[in-house]
Amino acid sequence: MADSVAPPSRSRDLDKLLLRNGNLVGPNFEPGAELRDDLQEYARILVVGAGGLGCELLKDLALSGFKNIDVIDMDRIEVTNLNRQFLFRVEDVGKPKAEVAAKRVMERVSGVNIVPHFCRIEDKEIPFYNDFNIIVLGLDSIEARSYINSVACSFLEYDSDDKPREETIKPMVDGGTEGFKGHARVIMPGVTPCFECTIWLFPPQVKFPLCTLAETPRTAAHCIEYAHLIKWDEVHSGKAFDPDDPEHMKWVYDKAVKRAELFGIPGVTYSLTQGVVKNIIPAIASTNAIISAACALETLKIASGCSKTLANYLTYNGVAGLHIKVTEFVKDKDCLVCGPGVLIELDSSVTLEKFINLLEDHPKLLISRASVSHRGKNLYMQAPPVLEEMTRSNLSLALYELMDKVAKDTIHVTGTTSKDGKKTSCLRKLRVVFKAIDGVTDMDTAGGA
Amino acid sequence: MVPLYDSKFLDDTFGNKYAFRLYASALSLSLSRSRFWVYLDQVQRTESFCLNSGKMIRLFKVKEKQRELAENANGKPPVKKQSPGELRLHKDIGELNLPKTCNIAFPNGKDDLMNFEVTIRPDEGYYLGGNFVFTFSVSPIYPHEAPKVKCKTKVYHPNIDLEGNVCLNILREDWKPVLNINTIIYGLFHLFTQPNYEDPLNHEAAAVLRDNPKLFESNVRRAMAGGYVGQTFFTRCM
Ligand SMILES: [Zn+2]
């Protein structure tokens, strides 16, 4: 074989993509050694999650030539992870996933530098996330996805024509699996739909009626939820149930078994208890591998331009045979997270009260009785009376002062608007820009927060 | 355990071998090669979208340089993130239209809307004259998920247990994102005017309501005035 002449190189396959042209390449693709080397030197990737998908992602990305990778995960390794989270060994049980995963991949793939972060995603300051060029998600919760999505979208800036400024786009590649099913998607905030635009894609969590649990359980899951939601509070008054505490889980399991015996219901096991309580579906190693491969490839495509990226949502179903479909979802143009919002130019002397009146006459808004919030601070609330009273004193203050003297920022307003003579309630994002203020404040926002 | 990333097992001459190898290492677990090609073909034929991604790496380069410079600069004050759930809740709260018998309070001040308390004072029925406090805890992905609602006041009620769990369909199995905080408060209010023995959480109370409404009424009065019903003590809530 040719391999006996030239020593096999890890980047041989990668070179074929990066060193030569092809008919699937993106616009402005410039193949060559410089591209390959730049990719290694300058591309910084954040992997969120070091579980089933995360392990695969780290391995795939490291072998795809990325050299600067960070990984963030708050979990420690459990025995039940070992069948599919292949970077972990029995002696690692109890150690932080991020740290072990980073170490194992660095041992196997020379030259790659993986920095682990053993903490919650909310523990990091927002600018931490802006240091990465691409964020790759290997998560199993909607909350965490929603959080990262809103962080990544918060870096996005629009120009005066409501076009996204390319250098502020923080691409995300999101993978997800549930049993034999999975998805991989590419999110370019401002260009393709963000997570929030399509949150309805996630089916709502199944919730059993409490009275069914209390009175007429019919399935093993009913018995488990009874122990988890009703019995726990009855016995441990005030103590919160911690799904990550094995003793808590064991307690719920024991109580569920007793309840199942009482009603003659079969099928309560410890792993089912974990599954129901944590709302997890058994993970399949090959699904993780396939979805992660798709995500790693998309990451490489975004970074290098060696091929057009996936447009924009791939679903994989391996339940019976194999079914793969790519759907091009569309953006919600009024999305509160990734949309541009309505641009409003104001004088820095405008009071909150005058601003609220302006919204009523603004042709794009026509919002009456507006309540206003800015970065989690409620500047004015029309109702209920208790909040109206607490915020009333802000009405006479300048909006610029209330917004901490930031020259341009996003605020949200809610109120009623008339459409075709019908009154409807609405929630809108506004981009407020203050004019006629000294240039110094412009510097504060130059980095884009 | 066989490491999946030992890339020995493939030596093909296909054009997109990098992708092939990456996928194949994943797919070798479960797929035959012919099916794999169908897969790859699917993926590639649908790649119509394109960002100007050839420029991406140049952007990265510029950013990395900026980052090095920025590291010496002062840190910015932490920015609070407002979750989509918080924004939607802001709308719900701003539009609240409560009956006179209901009151809302924000124990953590005007900037924490995610945790609040609602007091219900029924103006008719068995529970006339009582004050019942409910705590609401709203998730950052509201309204994709219903708020968590608990009754803080210990109450003798067929649909509320002694731990404060509430059996109200729209809080669990029938929650829909089009519903809002107002709907929930009206639902809770309704529980007091029309307690229902068919969906019991406190089965003793439910049985009494079904079999002996007069006794149920006197039990409710006794509990609200502060006292024992059976073995259970209730604090006064009138
Ligand atoms: Zn969006």
Side-chain angles (χ1 to χ4, degrees):
Chain A
M1 272 172 36
D3 282 0
S4 58
V5 185
S9 152
R10 175 168 282 132
S11 63
R12 190 186 49 184
D13 297 337
L14 204 55
D15 287 350
K16 288 184 179 152
L17 285 177
L18 301 179
L19 302 187
R20 54 187 203 185
N21 236 315
N23 51 10
L24 286 170
V25 301
N28 300 319
F29 178 62
E30 284 172 17
E34 192 192 350
L35 173 65
R36 184 189 60 195
D37 299 344
D38 283 354
L39 216 54
Q40 301 188 345
E41 190 173 348
Y42 296 110
R44 286 173 54 86
I45 311 292
L46 175 67
V47 175
V48 187
L53 264 176
C55 281
E56 292 282 348
L57 285 169
L58 287 171
K59 170 262 287 177
D60 287 348
L61 291 168
L63 288 167
S64 303
F66 291 105
K67 291 217 180 307
N68 303 302
I69 305 173
D70 284 39
V71 59
I72 181 166
D73 194 303
M74 60 174 283
D75 285 339
R76 292 176 184 273
I77 297 160
E78 289 179 46
V79 177
T80 53
N81 301 147
L82 299 178
N83 72 324
R84 62 189 185 283
Q85 300 180 16
F86 62 95
L87 297 173
F88 309 142
R89 305 288 176 267
V90 179
E91 63 268 23
D92 300 326
V93 170
K95 294 182 192 161
K97 286 185 179 180
E99 289 171 12
V100 177
K103 182 171 149 266
R104 286 283 141 72
V105 174
M106 283 195 286
E107 280 165 10
R108 293 298 295 255
V109 186
S110 58
V112 64
N113 180 35
I114 302 181
V115 181
H117 303 270
F118 171 47
C119 61
R120 287 153 35 91
I121 49 176
E122 296 88 353
D123 291 343
K124 291 285 178 194
E125 305 274 349
I126 306 295
F128 166 81
Y129 292 98
N130 208 7
D131 280 349
F132 299 95
N133 306 117
I134 302 173
I135 302 177
V136 187
L137 309 180
L139 292 163
D140 58 4
S141 97
I142 302 182
E143 283 92 340
R145 281 197 183 88
S146 170
Y147 180 80
I148 297 284
N149 179 68
S150 64
V151 170
C153 291
S154 71
F155 303 129
L156 181 66
E157 288 176 22
Y158 283 87
D159 63 20
S160 48
D161 299 324
D162 287 355
K163 291 263 183 313
R165 288 175 52 201
E166 204 162 271
E167 66 275 21
T168 63
I169 294 175
K170 182 77 59 195
M172 281 175 282
V173 181
D174 173 42
T177 70
E178 260 191 4
F180 286 100
K181 298 177 185 175
H183 77 258
R185 69 191 296 189
V186 174
I187 299 177
M188 300 278 184
V191 182
T192 70
C194 82
F195 179 76
E196 215 60 44
C197 290
T198 53
I199 192 167
W200 47 269
L201 281 167
F202 285 81
Q205 199 187 328
V206 178
K207 290 204 165 159
F208 308 115
L210 279 183
C211 38
T212 301
L213 305 181
E215 282 292 293
T216 50
R218 292 182 305 276
T219 66
H222 288 162
C223 299
I224 293 164
E225 281 291 69
Y226 171 79
H228 166 221
L229 294 173
I230 297 177
K231 200 77 193 164
W232 176 272
D233 281 350
E234 226 172 279
V235 176
H236 308 83
S237 60
K239 190 162 123 197
F241 173 80
D242 177 6
D244 295 319
D245 186 330
E247 268 178 46
H248 289 195
M249 196 59 83
K250 178 78 170 52
W251 189 93
V252 167
Y253 165 66
D254 289 340
K255 287 288 174 289
V257 167
K258 283 214 183 97
R259 179 130 181 112
E261 276 168 12
L262 190 68
F263 286 87
I265 296 168
V268 175
T269 61
Y270 186 74
S271 62
L272 182 69
T273 307
Q274 277 188 311
V276 169
V277 170
K278 291 185 166 183
N279 190 35
I280 44 176
I281 290 171
I284 307 292
S286 51
T287 312
N288 282 339
I290 290 162
I291 292 302
S292 148
C295 291
L297 184 56
E298 292 312 313
T299 309
L300 180 73
K301 291 201 272 184
I302 295 169
S304 67
C306 70
S307 172
K308 292 167 191 163
T309 53
L310 184 84
N312 42 36
Y313 196 104
L314 175 147
T315 46
Y316 161 85
N317 189 336
V319 177
L322 173 74
H323 184 255
I324 279 155
K325 190 173 166 16
V326 179
T327 312
E328 187 163 4
F329 284 108
V330 290
K331 262 193 318 174
D332 172 1
K333 67 175 177 21
D334 294 324
C335 177
L336 293 174
V337 179
C338 71
V342 177
L343 180 65
I344 292 193
E345 271 202 335
L346 290 175
D347 203 273
S348 58
S349 63
V350 170
T351 63
L352 180 58
E353 186 165 27
K354 182 145 182 241
F355 173 69
I356 290 172
N357 292 336
L358 276 172
L359 297 176
E360 226 164 318
D361 304 322
H362 192 288
K364 279 189 186 162
L365 293 167
L366 302 169
I367 297 176
S368 54
R369 284 183 52 77
S371 300
V372 183
S373 75
H374 171 243
R375 293 196 182 275
K377 271 199 314 193
N378 288 313
L379 303 184
Y380 184 68
M381 292 291 285
Q382 299 276 357
V386 52
L387 286 179
E388 197 279 332
E389 224 167 89
M390 281 196 248
T391 52
R392 194 184 301 152
S393 60
N394 283 343
L395 285 175
S396 56
L397 301 178
L399 183 62
Y400 179 58
E401 305 279 332
L402 289 167
M403 289 171 64
D404 302 322
K405 300 190 183 180
V406 175
K408 53 176 181 178
D409 208 354
T410 299
I411 64 169
H412 293 91
V413 296
T414 66
T416 36
T417 180
S418 303
K419 219 178 193 178
D420 313 323
K422 242 176 69 185
K423 284 204 171 207
T424 48
S425 68
C426 68
L427 165 54
R428 286 295 179 77
K429 175 176 176 178
L430 308 183
R431 269 185 297 152
V432 175
V433 178
F434 291 102
K435 48 191 176 181
I437 35 175
D438 44 292
V440 187
T441 41
D442 248 7
M443 291 291 288
D444 295 341
T445 52
Chain B
M1 211 171 291
V2 183
L4 289 170
Y5 47 95
D6 241 17
S7 54
K8 282 196 192 99
F9 56 88
L10 278 171
D11 198 3
D12 289 83
T13 48
F14 299 115
N16 202 351
K17 211 165 84 183
Y18 162 80
F20 182 57
R21 187 163 286 182
L22 197 62
Y23 280 109
S25 69
L27 290 162
S28 62
L29 295 160
S30 56
L31 298 180
S32 71
R33 184 171 294 184
S34 61
R35 279 202 284 170
F36 166 74
W37 279 111
V38 176
Y39 167 49
L40 201 63
D41 189 44
Q42 254 283 359
V43 175
Q44 291 194 333
R45 267 191 298 126
T46 46
E47 288 162 326
S48 53
F49 154 75
C50 198
L51 188 89
N52 215 347
S53 49
K55 269 169 35 192
M56 224 56 175
I57 188 66
R58 264 161 278 166
L59 283 175
F60 295 175
K61 229 166 150 171
V62 175
K63 271 192 193 165
E64 182 62 23
K65 302 241 159 78
Q66 283 174 346
R67 206 174 69 87
E68 281 159 14
L69 288 173
E71 256 163 30
N72 304 322
N74 294 335
K76 280 194 209 99
V79 187
K80 197 192 162 201
K81 274 246 59 66
Q82 208 170 5
S83 66
E86 220 172 324
L87 294 172
R88 159 65 196 261
L89 182 66
H90 186 265
K91 173 166 173 278
D92 279 21
I93 298 286
E95 286 170 357
L96 273 184
N97 183 10
L98 296 178
K100 279 200 292 292
T101 50
C102 297
N103 230 327
I104 189 165
F106 298 87
N108 307 332
K110 68 174 179 65
D111 293 332
D112 181 6
L113 302 186
M114 306 295 265
N115 299 285
F116 58 89
E117 291 183 357
V118 171
T119 306
I120 296 179
R121 256 177 285 94
D123 54 358
E124 57 171 269
Y126 296 114
Y127 296 91
L128 174 73
N131 282 288
F132 303 97
V133 181
F134 289 84
T135 56
F136 281 63
S137 156
V138 183
S139 139
I141 55 164
Y142 175 79
H144 193 73
E145 205 176 277
K148 290 192 174 64
V149 178
K150 282 228 167 190
C151 186
K152 218 172 135 182
T153 312
K154 199 170 184 180
V155 55
Y156 179 80
H157 193 294
N159 313 113
I160 301 174
D161 72 14
L162 300 174
E163 266 52 61
N165 293 307
V166 184
C167 188
L168 182 63
N169 61 336
I170 54 170
L171 285 177
R172 294 185 62 82
E173 72 275 17
D174 290 332
W175 172 254
K176 300 274 179 304
V178 293
L179 301 178
N180 57 33
I181 301 295
N182 229 27
T183 344
I184 297 174
I185 296 177
Y186 274 90
L188 293 173
F189 184 72
H190 194 70
L191 278 184
F192 287 100
T193 50
Q194 316 251 298
N196 150 20
Y197 57 76
E198 277 165 1
D199 299 324
L201 266 189
N202 178 340
H203 17 240
E204 283 160 48
V208 176
L209 174 63
R210 184 188 58 217
D211 301 333
N212 190 347
K214 275 244 152 354
L215 177 62
F216 180 78
E217 183 172 4
S218 80
N219 282 352
V220 169
R221 302 313 304 175
R222 189 174 327 147
M224 292 201 306
Y228 280 92
V229 176
Q231 302 291 310
T232 314
F233 181 76
F234 293 85
T235 20
R236 186 179 167 84
C237 67
M238 302 196 57

